[in-house]
């Protein structure tokens, strides 16, 4: 079977840039770790930014949305998604506003974290942009 290799438990650090199992046509996209938190109930939350996406968006001027500056994932989901560490310490986009909005909703029990792969989360975002 074409089972994806699951990365051994990795040490993630803020500023790392990783390749991941991307959607077809987005092989050049990458994720950057922007924040890591430990939550008592959920365990480790790895907050990422994504670059190099080609997400269709009917509301965008050119029909595409490229960056995603803040997406919260379970560590298991990141373990299943990443392929290779590309760089250890890169500059990353300003994720604070997206994080703040998520944190408010999370604290109010109105938001969670992705427990699916990064590629699956990108597909869901694309679907929601086009409704």
């Amino acid at each position: 079977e074409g089972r994806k290799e699951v990365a051994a438990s990795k040490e993630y650090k803020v500023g790392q840039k990783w390749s991941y199992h991307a959607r077809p046509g987005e092989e050049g996209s990458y994720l950057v770790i922007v924040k890591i938190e430990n939550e008592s109930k959920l365990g480790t939350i790895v907050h990422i930014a994504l670059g190099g996406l080609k997400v269709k968006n009917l509301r965008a001027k050119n029909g595409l949305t490229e960056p995603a500056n803040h997406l919260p994932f379970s560590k298991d989901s990141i373990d299943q998604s990443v392929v290779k560490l590309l760089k250890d310490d890169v500059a990353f986009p300003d994720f604070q506003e997206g994080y703040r909005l998520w944190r408010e909703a999370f604290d109010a029990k109105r938001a969670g974290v992705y427990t699916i792969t990064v590629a699956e989360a990108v597909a869901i975002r694309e679907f929601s942009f086009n409704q």
Side-chain angles (χ1 to χ4, degrees):
E1 288 184 49
R3 196 168 85 59
K4 283 183 183 159
E5 296 247 337
V6 176
S9 190
K10 295 196 167 43
E11 283 299 312
Y12 298 115
K13 293 186 182 82
V14 170
Q16 285 178 334
K17 178 179 179 178
W18 291 82
S19 63
Y20 68 97
H21 296 289
R23 303 186 308 165
E26 290 182 329
E27 290 83 0
S29 71
Y30 57 87
L31 66 84
V32 177
I33 297 172
V34 298
K35 188 175 186 72
I36 299 171
E37 295 181 294
N38 287 303
E39 282 289 329
S40 54
K41 287 193 176 103
L42 293 178
T44 303
I45 300 172
V46 181
H47 300 268
I48 65 168
L50 289 166
L53 297 176
K54 293 180 173 67
V55 174
K56 292 182 190 76
N57 184 347
L58 296 174
R59 295 173 197 82
K61 278 190 185 126
N62 66 353
L64 292 174
T65 294
E66 200 263 303
N69 290 352
H70 175 259
L71 294 168
F73 281 85
S74 71
K75 183 178 181 298
D76 285 348
S77 294
I78 298 297
D79 284 344
Q80 290 172 34
S81 299
V82 295
V83 176
K84 187 174 162 209
L85 179 61
L86 302 174
K87 277 195 162 159
D88 218 21
D89 194 12
V90 298
F92 47 82
D94 180 12
F95 69 95
Q96 295 293 349
E97 181 63 11
Y99 172 79
R100 186 185 64 74
L101 293 169
W102 169 84
R103 187 81 223 184
E104 283 176 6
F106 181 81
D107 289 343
K109 309 223 181 328
R110 292 193 320 269
V113 300
Y114 288 107
T115 56
I116 54 179
T117 67
V118 172
E120 289 166 334
V122 170
I124 288 171
R125 280 174 60 88
E126 182 171 77
F127 180 80
S128 66
F129 283 152
N130 294 293
Q131 292 309 296

